[in-house]
Amino acid sequence: MGCGNVFFTLLITFSVALITYNIIISSNAPLKQELPGPSRSSSSIIVDPIIKMPVDKSRGGSGSKRLFHTAVTASDSVYNTWQCRVMYYWFKKMKETPNSDMGGFTRILHSGKADKHMNEIPTFVAQPLPSGMDQGYIVLNRPWAFVQWLQQADIKEDYILMSEPDHIIVKPIPNLSRDGLGAAFPFFYIEPKKYESVLRKYFPEEKGPITDIDPIGNSPVIVGKESLKKIAPTWMNVSLAMKKDPETDKAFGWVLEMYAYAVSSALHGVGNILYKDFMIQPPWDTEVGKKFIIHYTYGCDYNMKGELTYGKIGEWRFDKRSYDSVAPPRNLPLPPPGVPESVVTLVKMVNEATANIPNWGS
């Protein structure tokens, strides 16, 4: 038994060292590389997974707008699908307004197969991770889906906006990135300094101070396409390595993949302009103001006096999780008087989208 324990310990130690080595090496690796894990023969990959792509031919350059391509990763669940349909409705409206640098749009569908909304939303079908590799954390499919899309799709724009299904664009978005830097929203709960001892497994001291890791996730982020092609494989490898490490998995939980992107961006020397006006998150942010995106990740619960009852189901509520198996109906009831502008705007925009999207709820 003692010999067995010693052998197991040595095996684990060697595995962790190998993963760390691969992470460091992948920070300088080209985009084209195999998915870590079970081998994937060429016969298992769809030859031409691009079902429908935008036809926008514009390209940023000298004397022209610096257009970015908006990419949203999603599963084929009802929950993700209705959010994508609402998101794309508002993308189209805002793209056509002045001051927009918004180019094409792609839903990166990581279900491995087409769905019935291919003709409604420009879509690239990506393969999911091999069964069991995400360990129940479906978000790990996101970096792998981006690797496939960046490898195989014909992306005309020189910049990428990574967005999410539960984003609603409320104003035309300019290209906020500058001088080789990305533009990203800073999250208060991404704290590299607090978790330095954990992060040093993936970002060694010779790579720089821990402050080089920005307090961001992968979304919303506007970044140069060529930079993202370098970052994406590292992001995938770091995400998988973090999930396999019990200490890291426990420390980061559901934001693990966000930390993995922040680390990967730093490994490639891509800093980010931290842009607080990128988005708001109701109900905590109460005014839309100059923000560009509403991120409705939190539930909004109020009594009929317009008072927030967060943590307790309100007499009036809007929570995307209420519609995990069925799309929200058209004409949702508006909040009672006294509810903040951000929440009222959110519900009105969902209602406008659902009223105008054909075959809503189907």
Side-chain angles (χ1 to χ4, degrees), residues 61-283:
S62 177
S64 65
K65 300 183 86 172
R66 298 184 309 128
L67 299 183
F68 58 80
H69 192 105
T70 300
V72 179
T73 57
S75 72
D76 60 357
S77 67
V78 171
Y79 179 67
N80 264 184
T81 300
W82 71 256
Q83 293 173 42
C84 283
R85 298 180 79 189
V86 171
M87 198 271 187
Y88 185 55
Y89 172 85
W90 284 105
F91 167 86
K92 290 188 294 182
K93 289 200 72 170
M94 295 301 166
K95 175 184 175 180
E96 302 306 323
T97 57
N99 303 317
S100 165
D101 288 326
M102 298 159 68
F105 182 99
T106 299
R107 175 184 60 149
I108 307 174
L109 187 63
H110 54 68
S111 60
K113 59 183 184 298
D115 69 3
K116 63 183 178 181
H117 298 291
M118 309 300 291
N119 292 325
E120 177 184 337
I121 309 174
T123 298
F124 172 95
V125 176
Q127 299 303 302
L129 288 167
S131 178
M133 187 171 279
D134 65 11
Q135 301 178 60
Y137 182 51
I138 194 173
V139 183
L140 286 182
N141 282 285
R142 182 178 294 159
W144 172 224
F146 265 104
V147 168
Q148 295 173 73
W149 178 62
L150 289 163
Q151 265 188 3
Q152 301 171 37
D154 180 19
I155 306 162
K156 303 301 181 184
E157 297 82 3
D158 290 330
Y159 299 86
I160 308 294
L161 164 62
M162 293 184 285
S163 191
E164 296 186 17
D166 60 352
H167 286 178
I168 292 182
I169 300 172
V170 295
K171 289 182 176 61
I173 304 176
N175 190 337
L176 302 169
S177 66
R178 292 287 184 275
D179 303 322
L181 298 171
F185 179 81
F187 291 91
F188 71 89
Y189 49 79
I190 302 297
E191 303 175 276
K193 187 65 178 176
K194 179 179 177 180
Y195 294 103
E196 179 170 4
S197 62
V198 175
L199 290 171
R200 284 304 185 188
K201 296 179 182 181
Y202 315 97
F203 190 75
E205 290 189 7
E206 58 266 26
K207 289 290 183 178
I210 205 70
T211 50
D212 283 356
I213 301 176
D214 293 321
I216 64 171
N218 80 291
S219 173
V221 170
I222 299 176
V223 64
K225 179 174 60 180
E226 295 307 313
S227 293
L228 187 57
K229 283 183 177 182
K230 297 175 184 177
I231 293 169
T234 309
W235 174 27
M236 178 182 70
N237 284 335
V238 172
S239 296
L240 292 170
M242 284 183 169
K243 188 63 180 174
K244 289 177 182 177
D245 181 66
E247 182 187 16
T248 310
D249 192 22
K250 181 179 179 181
F252 296 154
W254 66 273
V255 297
L256 180 149
E257 169 266 344
M258 297 173 69
Y259 272 100
Y261 180 83
V263 167
S264 302
S265 186
L267 283 170
H268 287 280
V270 179
N272 294 275
I273 301 166
L274 302 182
Y275 203 85
K276 291 183 178 180
D277 281 349
F278 216 144
M279 72 178 186
I280 57 169
Q281 301 183 98

